[in-house]
């Protein structure tokens, strides 16, 4: 039996509030690295129905510490979401048993 542990990441926003996320996937696209993150706790003020965030990895201004930034370009965000959705579909297809094997 395989042990499954979610990759978790704790982020601190500009107000100093920490939130924990599960890393769903990471991709390279046009020279940048992007992460799909799912909050481990639902937001109190919104019901997101399992929505995830797409953030871009960057270095901070002070010399190279990694940080994550919002993707503000809506067209790029839609393109990235399509790539992540394709990855998710492929992952789930790999996990489903073949119907012919059960018969």
């Amino acid at each position: 039996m395989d042990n499954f542990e979610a990759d978790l990441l704790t982020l601190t926003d500009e107000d100093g509030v920490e939130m924990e996320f599960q890393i769903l996937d990471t991709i390279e696209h046009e020279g940048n690295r992007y992460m799909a993150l799912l909050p481990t706790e639902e937001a109190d003020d919104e019901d997101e129905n399992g929505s995830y965030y797409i953030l871009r990895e960057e270095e901070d201004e002070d010399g190279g510490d990694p940080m994550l930034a919002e993707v503000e370009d809506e067209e790029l965000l839609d393109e990235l979401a399509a790539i992540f959705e394709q990855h998710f579909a492929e992952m789930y297809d790999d996990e489903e048993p073949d119907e012919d094997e059960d018969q």
Side-chain angles (χ1 to χ4, degrees):
M1 185 165 127
D2 293 330
N3 288 337
F4 175 76
E5 289 188 31
D7 290 328
L8 300 177
L9 178 67
T10 301
L11 300 178
T12 305
D13 69 12
E14 60 273 354
D15 297 324
V17 177
E18 289 187 352
M19 279 188 70
E20 186 175 68
F21 295 87
Q22 177 182 353
I23 302 171
L24 299 176
D25 197 5
T26 303
I27 62 170
E28 298 281 335
H29 182 71
E30 296 182 356
N32 292 302
R33 186 173 163 111
Y34 298 92
M35 300 177 85
L37 304 175
L38 180 68
T40 57
E41 296 181 21
E42 290 184 27
D44 293 334
D45 57 345
E46 296 180 13
D47 179 18
E48 294 293 332
N49 293 327
S51 294
Y52 60 92
Y53 296 90
I54 298 174
L55 300 175
R56 179 181 54 253
E57 287 188 21
E58 296 183 347
E59 294 181 356
D60 74 1
E61 298 168 359
D62 296 329
D65 288 331
M67 60 181 272
L68 296 173
E70 290 183 54
V71 177
E72 296 180 7
D73 180 336
E74 290 294 322
E75 188 174 313
L76 174 60
L77 193 58
D78 289 342
E79 186 177 336
L80 293 167
I83 294 168
F84 279 117
E85 293 295 330
Q86 179 64 36
H87 281 204
F88 299 152
E90 290 170 3
M91 285 189 285
Y92 289 121
D93 284 346
D94 289 344
E95 292 177 4
E96 292 180 14
D98 188 359
E99 291 179 21
D100 294 337
E101 291 178 6
D102 294 336
Q103 295 176 0

